PDB file of all heavy atoms in Angstrom:
ATOM      1  N   ALA J 301     -30.554 -10.929 -29.136  1.00  0.00           N
ATOM      2  CA  ALA J 301     -30.073  -9.708 -28.504  1.00  0.00           C
ATOM      3  C   ALA J 301     -31.135  -9.097 -27.599  1.00  0.00           C
ATOM      4  O   ALA J 301     -32.324  -9.109 -27.913  1.00  0.00           O
ATOM      5  CB  ALA J 301     -29.647  -8.700 -29.559  1.00  0.00           C
ATOM      6  N   THR J 302     -30.674  -8.582 -26.472  1.00  0.00           N
ATOM      7  CA  THR J 302     -31.510  -7.781 -25.582  1.00  0.00           C
ATOM      8  C   THR J 302     -31.098  -6.324 -25.744  1.00  0.00           C
ATOM      9  O   THR J 302     -29.920  -5.997 -25.603  1.00  0.00           O
ATOM     10  CB  THR J 302     -31.332  -8.209 -24.114  1.00  0.00           C
ATOM     11  OG1 THR J 302     -31.677  -9.579 -23.977  1.00  0.00           O
ATOM     12  CG2 THR J 302     -32.205  -7.366 -23.204  1.00  0.00           C
ATOM     13  N   LYS J 303     -32.058  -5.468 -26.046  1.00  0.00           N
ATOM     14  CA  LYS J 303     -31.746  -4.068 -26.323  1.00  0.00           C
ATOM     15  C   LYS J 303     -32.299  -3.166 -25.224  1.00  0.00           C
ATOM     16  O   LYS J 303     -33.366  -3.415 -24.673  1.00  0.00           O
ATOM     17  CB  LYS J 303     -32.304  -3.660 -27.686  1.00  0.00           C
ATOM     18  CG  LYS J 303     -31.689  -4.451 -28.842  1.00  0.00           C
ATOM     19  CD  LYS J 303     -32.187  -3.972 -30.191  1.00  0.00           C
ATOM     20  CE  LYS J 303     -31.518  -4.762 -31.314  1.00  0.00           C
ATOM     21  NZ  LYS J 303     -31.979  -4.308 -32.648  1.00  0.00           N
ATOM     22  N   ASN J 304     -31.538  -2.111 -24.936  1.00  0.00           N
ATOM     23  CA  ASN J 304     -31.941  -1.131 -23.933  1.00  0.00           C
ATOM     24  C   ASN J 304     -31.642   0.272 -24.437  1.00  0.00           C
ATOM     25  O   ASN J 304     -30.682   0.479 -25.208  1.00  0.00           O
ATOM     26  CB  ASN J 304     -31.196  -1.359 -22.615  1.00  0.00           C
ATOM     27  CG  ASN J 304     -31.702  -2.561 -21.860  1.00  0.00           C
ATOM     28  OD1 ASN J 304     -32.833  -2.587 -21.389  1.00  0.00           O
ATOM     29  ND2 ASN J 304     -30.866  -3.586 -21.748  1.00  0.00           N
ATOM     30  N   ASN J 305     -32.441   1.219 -23.997  1.00  0.00           N
ATOM     31  CA  ASN J 305     -32.229   2.630 -24.329  1.00  0.00           C
ATOM     32  C   ASN J 305     -32.388   3.468 -23.066  1.00  0.00           C
ATOM     33  O   ASN J 305     -33.341   3.274 -22.298  1.00  0.00           O
ATOM     34  CB  ASN J 305     -33.234   3.099 -25.386  1.00  0.00           C
ATOM     35  CG  ASN J 305     -33.049   2.384 -26.712  1.00  0.00           C
ATOM     36  OD1 ASN J 305     -32.099   2.643 -27.431  1.00  0.00           O
ATOM     37  ND2 ASN J 305     -33.955   1.472 -27.027  1.00  0.00           N
ATOM     38  N   THR J 306     -31.462   4.373 -22.846  1.00  0.00           N
ATOM     39  CA  THR J 306     -31.483   5.235 -21.682  1.00  0.00           C
ATOM     40  C   THR J 306     -31.019   6.633 -22.090  1.00  0.00           C
ATOM     41  O   THR J 306     -30.118   6.768 -22.925  1.00  0.00           O
ATOM     42  CB  THR J 306     -30.560   4.698 -20.574  1.00  0.00           C
ATOM     43  OG1 THR J 306     -30.959   3.372 -20.226  1.00  0.00           O
ATOM     44  CG2 THR J 306     -30.604   5.568 -19.333  1.00  0.00           C
ATOM     45  N   ALA J 307     -31.624   7.657 -21.509  1.00  0.00           N
ATOM     46  CA  ALA J 307     -31.246   9.045 -21.800  1.00  0.00           C
ATOM     47  C   ALA J 307     -30.845   9.750 -20.516  1.00  0.00           C
ATOM     48  O   ALA J 307     -31.337   9.425 -19.432  1.00  0.00           O
ATOM     49  CB  ALA J 307     -32.393   9.781 -22.478  1.00  0.00           C
ATOM     50  N   ARG J 308     -29.954  10.721 -20.652  1.00  0.00           N
ATOM     51  CA  ARG J 308     -29.517  11.486 -19.479  1.00  0.00           C
ATOM     52  C   ARG J 308     -29.078  12.882 -19.910  1.00  0.00           C
ATOM     53  O   ARG J 308     -28.489  13.062 -20.981  1.00  0.00           O
ATOM     54  CB  ARG J 308     -28.371  10.772 -18.765  1.00  0.00           C
ATOM     55  CG  ARG J 308     -28.039  11.356 -17.398  1.00  0.00           C
ATOM     56  CD  ARG J 308     -27.102  10.438 -16.640  1.00  0.00           C
ATOM     57  NE  ARG J 308     -27.762   9.217 -16.237  1.00  0.00           N
ATOM     58  CZ  ARG J 308     -28.394   9.057 -15.081  1.00  0.00           C
ATOM     59  NH1 ARG J 308     -28.457  10.055 -14.229  1.00  0.00           N
ATOM     60  NH2 ARG J 308     -28.949   7.906 -14.783  1.00  0.00           N
ATOM     61  N   PHE J 309     -29.370  13.854 -19.050  1.00  0.00           N
ATOM     62  CA  PHE J 309     -28.992  15.249 -19.313  1.00  0.00           C
ATOM     63  C   PHE J 309     -27.635  15.537 -18.676  1.00  0.00           C
ATOM     64  O   PHE J 309     -27.321  15.039 -17.596  1.00  0.00           O
ATOM     65  CB  PHE J 309     -30.054  16.185 -18.730  1.00  0.00           C
ATOM     66  CG  PHE J 309     -29.691  17.643 -18.819  1.00  0.00           C
ATOM     67  CD1 PHE J 309     -29.916  18.359 -19.979  1.00  0.00           C
ATOM     68  CD2 PHE J 309     -29.125  18.294 -17.735  1.00  0.00           C
ATOM     69  CE1 PHE J 309     -29.581  19.707 -20.059  1.00  0.00           C
ATOM     70  CE2 PHE J 309     -28.789  19.633 -17.795  1.00  0.00           C
ATOM     71  CZ  PHE J 309     -29.022  20.352 -18.962  1.00  0.00           C
ATOM     72  N   ALA J 310     -26.841  16.377 -19.347  1.00  0.00           N
ATOM     73  CA  ALA J 310     -25.541  16.779 -18.808  1.00  0.00           C
ATOM     74  C   ALA J 310     -25.203  18.175 -19.303  1.00  0.00           C
ATOM     75  O   ALA J 310     -25.894  18.749 -20.159  1.00  0.00           O
ATOM     76  CB  ALA J 310     -24.451  15.786 -19.203  1.00  0.00           C
ATOM     77  N   MET J 311     -24.124  18.715 -18.773  1.00  0.00           N
ATOM     78  CA  MET J 311     -23.629  20.027 -19.173  1.00  0.00           C
ATOM     79  C   MET J 311     -22.151  19.868 -19.543  1.00  0.00           C
ATOM     80  O   MET J 311     -21.264  20.040 -18.707  1.00  0.00           O
ATOM     81  CB  MET J 311     -23.789  21.022 -18.033  1.00  0.00           C
ATOM     82  CG  MET J 311     -23.603  22.469 -18.443  1.00  0.00           C
ATOM     83  SD  MET J 311     -24.997  23.154 -19.349  1.00  0.00           S
ATOM     84  CE  MET J 311     -26.240  23.210 -18.054  1.00  0.00           C
ATOM     85  N   PRO J 312     -21.842  19.510 -20.807  1.00  0.00           N
ATOM     86  CA  PRO J 312     -20.458  19.175 -21.159  1.00  0.00           C
ATOM     87  C   PRO J 312     -19.518  20.361 -21.332  1.00  0.00           C
ATOM     88  O   PRO J 312     -18.329  20.160 -21.554  1.00  0.00           O
ATOM     89  CB  PRO J 312     -20.621  18.423 -22.474  1.00  0.00           C
ATOM     90  CG  PRO J 312     -21.867  18.978 -23.069  1.00  0.00           C
ATOM     91  CD  PRO J 312     -22.767  19.279 -21.914  1.00  0.00           C
ATOM     92  N   ASN J 313     -20.046  21.581 -21.257  1.00  0.00           N
ATOM     93  CA  ASN J 313     -19.157  22.739 -21.398  1.00  0.00           C
ATOM     94  C   ASN J 313     -19.759  23.953 -20.713  1.00  0.00           C
ATOM     95  O   ASN J 313     -20.949  24.244 -20.844  1.00  0.00           O
ATOM     96  CB  ASN J 313     -18.921  23.062 -22.878  1.00  0.00           C
ATOM     97  CG  ASN J 313     -18.417  24.489 -23.081  1.00  0.00           C
ATOM     98  OD1 ASN J 313     -19.218  25.380 -23.356  1.00  0.00           O
ATOM     99  ND2 ASN J 313     -17.132  24.696 -22.915  1.00  0.00           N
ATOM    100  N   VAL J 314     -18.918  24.647 -19.980  1.00  0.00           N
ATOM    101  CA  VAL J 314     -19.257  25.962 -19.444  1.00  0.00           C
ATOM    102  C   VAL J 314     -17.940  26.667 -19.156  1.00  0.00           C
ATOM    103  O   VAL J 314     -16.970  26.045 -18.705  1.00  0.00           O
ATOM    104  CB  VAL J 314     -20.128  25.863 -18.172  1.00  0.00           C
ATOM    105  CG1 VAL J 314     -19.400  25.122 -17.061  1.00  0.00           C
ATOM    106  CG2 VAL J 314     -20.577  27.235 -17.701  1.00  0.00           C
ATOM    107  N   GLY J 315     -17.880  27.960 -19.477  1.00  0.00           N
ATOM    108  CA  GLY J 315     -16.635  28.662 -19.214  1.00  0.00           C
ATOM    109  C   GLY J 315     -16.591  30.038 -19.824  1.00  0.00           C
ATOM    110  O   GLY J 315     -17.518  30.479 -20.520  1.00  0.00           O
ATOM    111  N   THR J 316     -15.500  30.702 -19.563  1.00  0.00           N
ATOM    112  CA  THR J 316     -15.293  32.036 -20.107  1.00  0.00           C
ATOM    113  C   THR J 316     -13.807  32.280 -20.334  1.00  0.00           C
ATOM    114  O   THR J 316     -12.955  31.753 -19.600  1.00  0.00           O
ATOM    115  CB  THR J 316     -15.863  33.116 -19.166  1.00  0.00           C
ATOM    116  OG1 THR J 316     -15.756  34.392 -19.790  1.00  0.00           O
ATOM    117  CG2 THR J 316     -15.134  33.134 -17.839  1.00  0.00           C
ATOM    118  N   ILE J 317     -13.509  33.071 -21.358  1.00  0.00           N
ATOM    119  CA  ILE J 317     -12.150  33.507 -21.671  1.00  0.00           C
ATOM    120  C   ILE J 317     -12.156  35.030 -21.750  1.00  0.00           C
ATOM    121  O   ILE J 317     -12.988  35.625 -22.458  1.00  0.00           O
ATOM    122  CB  ILE J 317     -11.652  32.914 -23.004  1.00  0.00           C
ATOM    123  CG1 ILE J 317     -11.433  31.413 -22.872  1.00  0.00           C
ATOM    124  CG2 ILE J 317     -10.363  33.595 -23.458  1.00  0.00           C
ATOM    125  CD1 ILE J 317     -10.289  31.012 -21.982  1.00  0.00           C
ATOM    126  N   ILE J 318     -11.237  35.667 -21.042  1.00  0.00           N
ATOM    127  CA  ILE J 318     -11.096  37.118 -21.063  1.00  0.00           C
ATOM    128  C   ILE J 318      -9.841  37.468 -21.867  1.00  0.00           C
ATOM    129  O   ILE J 318      -8.743  37.006 -21.531  1.00  0.00           O
ATOM    130  CB  ILE J 318     -10.975  37.702 -19.640  1.00  0.00           C
ATOM    131  CG1 ILE J 318     -12.166  37.259 -18.786  1.00  0.00           C
ATOM    132  CG2 ILE J 318     -10.855  39.220 -19.698  1.00  0.00           C
ATOM    133  CD1 ILE J 318     -13.493  37.733 -19.292  1.00  0.00           C
ATOM    134  N   ASN J 319     -10.035  38.268 -22.916  1.00  0.00           N
ATOM    135  CA  ASN J 319      -8.923  38.668 -23.779  1.00  0.00           C
ATOM    136  C   ASN J 319      -8.533  40.110 -23.472  1.00  0.00           C
ATOM    137  O   ASN J 319      -9.370  41.013 -23.477  1.00  0.00           O
ATOM    138  CB  ASN J 319      -9.317  38.535 -25.252  1.00  0.00           C
ATOM    139  CG  ASN J 319      -8.154  38.778 -26.190  1.00  0.00           C
ATOM    140  OD1 ASN J 319      -7.795  39.912 -26.458  1.00  0.00           O
ATOM    141  ND2 ASN J 319      -7.586  37.693 -26.695  1.00  0.00           N
ATOM    142  N   MET J 320      -7.256  40.321 -23.184  1.00  0.00           N
ATOM    143  CA  MET J 320      -6.760  41.651 -22.841  1.00  0.00           C
ATOM    144  C   MET J 320      -5.771  42.120 -23.897  1.00  0.00           C
ATOM    145  O   MET J 320      -4.713  41.513 -24.094  1.00  0.00           O
ATOM    146  CB  MET J 320      -6.086  41.621 -21.467  1.00  0.00           C
ATOM    147  CG  MET J 320      -6.999  41.131 -20.355  1.00  0.00           C
ATOM    148  SD  MET J 320      -6.158  40.995 -18.764  1.00  0.00           S
ATOM    149  CE  MET J 320      -5.668  42.701 -18.496  1.00  0.00           C
ATOM    150  N   ASN J 321      -6.140  43.172 -24.605  1.00  0.00           N
ATOM    151  CA  ASN J 321      -5.317  43.722 -25.686  1.00  0.00           C
ATOM    152  C   ASN J 321      -4.227  44.614 -25.096  1.00  0.00           C
ATOM    153  O   ASN J 321      -4.507  45.515 -24.297  1.00  0.00           O
ATOM    154  CB  ASN J 321      -6.198  44.527 -26.646  1.00  0.00           C
ATOM    155  CG  ASN J 321      -5.506  44.778 -27.970  1.00  0.00           C
ATOM    156  OD1 ASN J 321      -4.317  45.079 -28.007  1.00  0.00           O
ATOM    157  ND2 ASN J 321      -6.263  44.667 -29.048  1.00  0.00           N
ATOM    158  N   THR J 322      -2.991  44.379 -25.516  1.00  0.00           N
ATOM    159  CA  THR J 322      -1.873  45.175 -25.001  1.00  0.00           C
ATOM    160  C   THR J 322      -1.699  46.488 -25.751  1.00  0.00           C
ATOM    161  O   THR J 322      -0.967  47.375 -25.294  1.00  0.00           O
ATOM    162  CB  THR J 322      -0.562  44.379 -25.092  1.00  0.00           C
ATOM    163  OG1 THR J 322      -0.255  44.133 -26.476  1.00  0.00           O
ATOM    164  CG2 THR J 322      -0.675  43.059 -24.339  1.00  0.00           C
TER     165      THR J 322
END
Side-chain angles (χ1 to χ4, degrees):
T302 301
K303 298 184 178 180
N304 286 294
N305 296 287
T306 303
R308 191 168 290 270
F309 174 83
M311 193 75 69
N313 161 264
V314 61
T316 185
I317 291 292
I318 305 298
N319 187 280
M320 302 176 61
N321 196 319
T322 64

